[in-house]
Amino acid sequence: MKHALEAPSPSSPELPVVSVDPVVAVQALRPLARVGGLFILLRPRQWIKGSLVLLAPLVASPATAVTQVVPLLGTLLSFLAASSAVYIFNDLHDRERDRLHPVKRNRPLASGRVSASAAVTLLVVLLAGTAALLMLLPVLVGVIVAGYLAINLWYCLALKHQPLVDVSVVSVGFVLRVLAGTIAVGIAVQPALLIGVYCACLALSLGKRRHELAALSAAGGEAGEHRPALRAYSVPFLDQVVLVNLVAALVGYVAFIWAQTPPYGPVTAGLTFPFAAFAVHRYLQMIAMGGSGGDPVEDLFRDRAMLVNVGLWAAVLAQAMLTSIWQLW
């Protein structure tokens, strides 16, 4: 009995130890990282800029926008694909220069996360998709999108290094979005809107140059090392031209809204002017005192005051659009 009690109990079975080779694990994750890099290469955060395609139809003729939703969305998608193609071409062309920039060196091509051949393949797919969409849209919309691609190709190769021409070309690209949306639904072109959009985008582009200059000055860098056009700019000069263009954009906005069907046009202009003026004032405050301006889209989404202002502004405009549709129906 004593021997039985002292006999060792059978040991519990041990679980097998599974070892993971870190090299194999990294190789397994590479396809996911490559797909993620390709998605980042499309610059999805910049797709909000494509909403300018919807601006004129929704504000000037919301009833028409509802009935012409298919060509309007087709135009929007074609510009999203075309703009992503431009971003990829630019990153391919500038990947060596981007490696010298403290932020842009993290881009997929500059960092090596995406190969040049994969980027070229994605570029071809986007251009083919854009061409397929344009076959379903009015011919003039196709001409505008083709013009957008042409001037941006020229921009990437040469115009981006020409002072003032660089920001003007970028602003023209936004005007072409508005114009394409207008033509896609067959409504009258609104010159005041085109002028306002051009001046607003010019101000934002100049504000981006101001941010780059200020950042270089703070870091002790030399202007023009990454962007040669910066040598022709200065912070005081940019402060002046940003202000001038924002005022012009504000006037263009009021003229565009005021020209819409009475009494909704004048009433809406009066109700929304405080929001437009606040947006101008807040942006000037952000670039002058907050060090913002490097990425207008990011500045918009991270600033609570600007988000609340834009939300209220959009709500008033939406109310006016719904009232206009109700009256027509």
Side-chain angles (χ1 to χ4, degrees):
M1 175 65 70
K2 182 177 179 181
H3 179 74
L5 291 174
E6 292 179 352
S9 58
S11 59
S12 58
E14 295 183 359
L15 295 175
V17 178
V18 179
S19 60
V20 179
D21 188 344
V23 176
V24 174
V26 169
Q27 290 177 345
L29 291 175
R30 278 179 181 171
L32 294 177
R34 190 176 297 113
V35 172
L38 287 171
F39 183 70
I40 294 173
L41 203 60
L42 298 174
R43 308 274 184 94
R45 289 196 309 169
Q46 306 298 329
W47 286 347
I48 190 175
K49 298 174 181 178
S51 61
L52 286 173
V53 170
L54 312 176
L55 184 58
L58 289 179
V59 178
S61 186
T64 304
V66 172
T67 58
Q68 299 292 323
V69 64
V70 173
L72 189 58
L73 290 180
T75 304
L76 172 62
L77 290 175
S78 67
F79 261 102
L80 293 181
S83 61
S84 290
V86 169
Y87 286 129
I88 293 174
F89 181 83
N90 181 73
D91 287 356
L92 279 166
H93 183 262
D94 287 354
R95 61 186 184 275
E96 296 299 332
R97 189 186 295 270
D98 286 345
R99 292 189 177 109
L100 304 176
H101 193 276
V103 176
K104 294 180 180 180
R105 66 184 179 186
N106 296 319
R107 288 177 174 175
L109 279 166
S111 64
R113 281 184 292 166
V114 173
S115 65
S117 58
V120 170
T121 301
L122 182 57
L123 174 60
V124 172
V125 170
L126 287 172
L127 292 176
T130 302
L133 281 169
L134 293 178
M135 292 178 65
L136 307 175
L137 298 172
V139 175
L140 193 51
V141 172
V143 172
I144 293 173
V145 175
Y148 171 84
L149 287 169
I151 65 171
N152 277 280
L153 174 63
W154 194 8
Y155 172 85
C156 294
L157 295 175
L159 295 181
K160 67 191 299 182
H161 304 309
Q162 303 300 318
L164 294 182
V165 176
D166 58 339
V167 291
S168 299
V169 171
V170 172
S171 302
V172 167
F174 291 104
V175 172
L176 291 178
R177 288 176 170 91
V178 178
L179 189 60
T182 301
I183 294 172
V185 298
I187 62 175
V189 175
Q190 306 280 334
L193 176 61
L194 300 182
I195 293 171
V197 168
Y198 176 80
C199 292
C201 295
L202 192 57
L204 294 176
S205 298
L206 291 165
K208 185 174 182 179
R209 301 296 183 267
R210 185 195 185 281
H211 175 81
E212 292 175 346
L213 273 180
L216 281 171
S217 177
E222 181 182 351
E225 182 178 358
H226 175 72
R227 192 189 294 273
L230 289 178
R231 296 190 183 98
Y233 295 132
S234 70
V235 171
F237 166 74
L238 291 172
D239 284 339
Q240 294 181 46
V241 290
V242 166
L243 179 59
V244 167
N245 280 280
L246 286 177
V247 171
L250 193 57
V251 172
Y253 167 78
V254 173
F256 164 64
I257 298 296
W258 194 286
Q260 305 312 309
T261 306
Y264 306 111
V267 171
T268 305
L271 290 175
T272 59
F273 178 79
F275 301 113
F278 180 86
V280 169
H281 300 154
R282 181 59 177 164
Y283 178 72
L284 289 172
Q285 183 183 42
M286 289 169 66
I287 64 172
M289 303 178 64
S292 300
D295 187 338
V297 175
E298 183 179 343
D299 292 339
L300 171 64
F301 283 106
R302 75 177 183 179
D303 187 74
R304 185 176 300 176
M306 190 71 88
L307 279 174
V308 171
N309 179 68
V310 170
L312 294 173
W313 189 358
V316 176
L317 284 175
Q319 179 62 38
M321 288 186 291
L322 290 174
T323 303
S324 177
I325 293 175
W326 178 262
Q327 291 294 326
L328 288 173
W329 287 357

